[in-house]
Amino acid sequence: MSPYDSDPADRLVTAAADGEDQAVEAALRPKQLDEFIGQERVREQLSLVLQAARKRGKAPDHVLLSGPPGLGKTTLSMIIAAELNAPIRITSGPAIQHAGDLAAILSSLTEGEVLFLDEIHRMSRPAEEMLYMAMEDYRVDVIVGKGPGATAIPLELPPFTLVGATTRAGLLPPPLRDRFGFTGHMEFYAPAELQRVVHRSAALLDVEIDPAGAAEIAGRSRGTPRIANRLLRRVRDYAQVKYDGVVSQEIAAQALQVYEVDARGLDRLDRAVLDALLRLFGGGPVGLSTLAVAVGEEAETVEEVAEPFLVREGLLARTPRGRIATAAAWQHLGLTPPVQAPPGQGARAAVPTQSELFSPGKAPVQEKGTG
């Protein structure tokens, strides 16, 4: 076990949803498009698509929602079904490993039904190829038998709307991506939007919170509503146990200090990576594997769990020579960066000259190896 307890599933600031998150989110999700906070452009465009479909009396175009986890893709899919007054079927790409799995789902759809396919980029290739025809022609060919005697039986499908969600739109093959009539990319939320999310969730959870307390939680939520709701629940627990249950800025800050989420949303793993980069390696550049060893983590954990947020916050940069810290990282940890080498001298500027090395009263300075 790592000394930093950095299992992604256990981190308070992870955007992945656990069982508790899923249960709470079901109660906190807005039911109509007008209630959905943030994502103004996607919301406006999607509203036009749905209103036009209702006026025509037909199923709307297939919808692709992309973006990081925790921003509301599943919520929007459910809102689409509610706006169309249609049932919704929910499944995921990893659950569909064979074309027969997809054929069974498609053949049981009713007219106008919404099929939500989460993590659509992880669907198997045979199922993906079957989906092409289903989306375009509302038809699938079911193969009966094997070998030379195999027969393709065409199966007509009722008009339906596929809503695909992906965190990695670049992995979708172009033929699949082109069959979506509407594509919406979800962006990280601004602090003011997250503050509205916290206020709305607090009202639904019957938590009394003042604007400063909501702003404190929003500022540490990494631009993600799912994290904001999770931090709100932890702050609520702290306020109810230690105080009278009312969440103020001071109480929110105290609670999140207990849970080791700092003012910028960094947790123990994030700070451990920055601390090692600054204190042990002078701000870098340092290789990923060396940095991972320094914090007692696997290289994949540092690269995929900690680095994306640190890069997005401008605290760390990836370069061909390795990871380097930015001036904002030194400032955030309250450390003073080392004196920069004069231009043109690079990392060896600190190596003494021959006269300095042998001048009286000066101890030799050993050059650092580049490793």
Side-chain angles (χ1 to χ4, degrees):
M1 178 65 68
S2 162
Y4 298 107
D5 293 333
S6 61
D7 183 353
D10 296 334
R11 301 177 77 210
L12 196 60
V13 291
T14 180
D18 58 17
E20 182 186 6
D21 289 326
Q22 293 172 353
V24 174
E25 285 175 4
L28 298 181
R29 282 194 175 105
K31 303 299 187 290
Q32 301 295 325
L33 205 55
D34 291 341
E35 301 174 12
F36 191 88
I37 298 172
Q39 310 297 337
E40 299 292 340
R41 180 172 299 179
V42 172
R43 191 155 53 90
E44 181 181 2
Q45 294 171 346
L46 190 56
S47 176
L48 292 174
V49 171
L50 298 178
Q51 289 182 46
R54 286 199 300 265
K55 287 186 177 182
R56 291 192 302 265
K58 296 183 178 180
D61 290 338
H62 303 298
V63 175
L64 177 64
L65 302 173
S66 65
L71 300 185
K73 295 186 293 295
T74 302
T75 299
L76 273 182
S77 71
M78 295 183 175
I79 287 177
I80 290 172
E83 293 281 347
L84 297 173
N85 196 23
I88 184 171
R89 187 81 56 91
I90 299 176
T91 186
S92 66
I96 301 176
Q97 294 302 314
H98 306 284
D101 299 334
L102 181 61
I105 294 173
L106 293 174
S107 62
S108 63
L109 293 175
T110 59
E111 185 172 353
E113 189 167 356
V114 174
L115 173 62
F116 175 57
L117 191 51
D118 197 12
E119 295 300 311
I120 190 172
H121 64 273
R122 297 177 60 189
M123 189 167 48
S124 68
R125 181 56 60 87
E128 185 180 282
E129 293 174 350
M130 175 179 283
L131 193 58
Y132 296 162
M133 186 180 298
M135 294 174 67
E136 196 164 19
D137 301 326
Y138 298 111
R139 182 173 71 89
V140 293
D141 290 335
V142 179
I143 307 299
V144 178
K146 294 183 178 180
T151 304
I153 301 177
L155 180 64
E156 298 296 327
L157 303 174
F160 68 96
T161 299
L162 174 67
V163 179
T166 177
T167 55
R168 306 181 70 179
L171 296 183
L172 286 179
L176 178 58
R177 193 165 53 240
D178 293 343
R179 282 170 168 79
F180 287 98
F182 171 77
T183 300
H185 181 72
M186 313 285 280
E187 303 285 351
F188 286 106
Y189 282 56
E193 294 173 330
L194 282 178
Q195 191 172 348
R196 291 168 56 199
V197 170
V198 171
H199 272 297
R200 180 183 180 276
S201 299
L204 294 174
L205 294 173
D206 197 22
V207 177
E208 187 175 348
I209 186 170
D210 63 26
E216 187 70 24
I217 294 174
R220 304 184 187 217
S221 299
R222 300 183 177 225
T224 307
R226 177 175 291 155
I227 296 176
N229 288 331
R230 189 184 300 130
L231 295 184
L232 172 63
R233 299 199 305 273
R234 300 289 77 81
V235 171
R236 172 199 60 185
D237 296 344
Y238 182 88
Q240 290 176 347
V241 172
K242 298 287 187 179
Y243 295 93
D244 58 359
V246 179
V247 177
S248 63
Q249 180 179 14
E250 182 180 0
I251 292 175
Q254 291 177 12
L256 294 176
Q257 184 177 6
V258 171
Y259 288 107
E260 299 181 293
V261 179
D262 69 18
R264 294 187 70 158
L266 276 64
D267 68 353
R268 292 182 68 187
L269 175 62
D270 301 320
R271 289 194 301 275
V273 170
L274 284 186
D275 192 73
L277 182 58
L278 300 181
R279 295 181 189 274
L280 300 182
F281 305 107
V286 61
L288 172 63
S289 58
T290 303
L291 185 59
V293 169
V295 297
E297 288 290 350
E298 297 292 335
E300 292 79 7
T301 301
V302 173
E303 184 176 27
E304 298 175 9
V305 177
E307 283 189 351
F309 180 68
L310 296 176
V311 171
R312 181 161 64 88
E313 284 290 291
L315 300 172
L316 179 146
R318 296 170 173 172
T319 72
R321 296 179 59 202
R323 274 55 176 172
I324 61 172
T326 65
W330 292 95
Q331 183 178 5
H332 183 67
L333 293 190
L335 300 175
T336 302
V339 178
Q340 296 296 320
Q345 294 189 25
R348 299 183 179 271
V351 180
T353 63
Q354 184 175 4
S355 59
E356 291 173 336
L357 192 62
F358 295 102
S359 59
K362 289 197 175 186
V365 179
Q366 185 176 358
E367 177 184 353
K368 269 189 172 180
T370 59

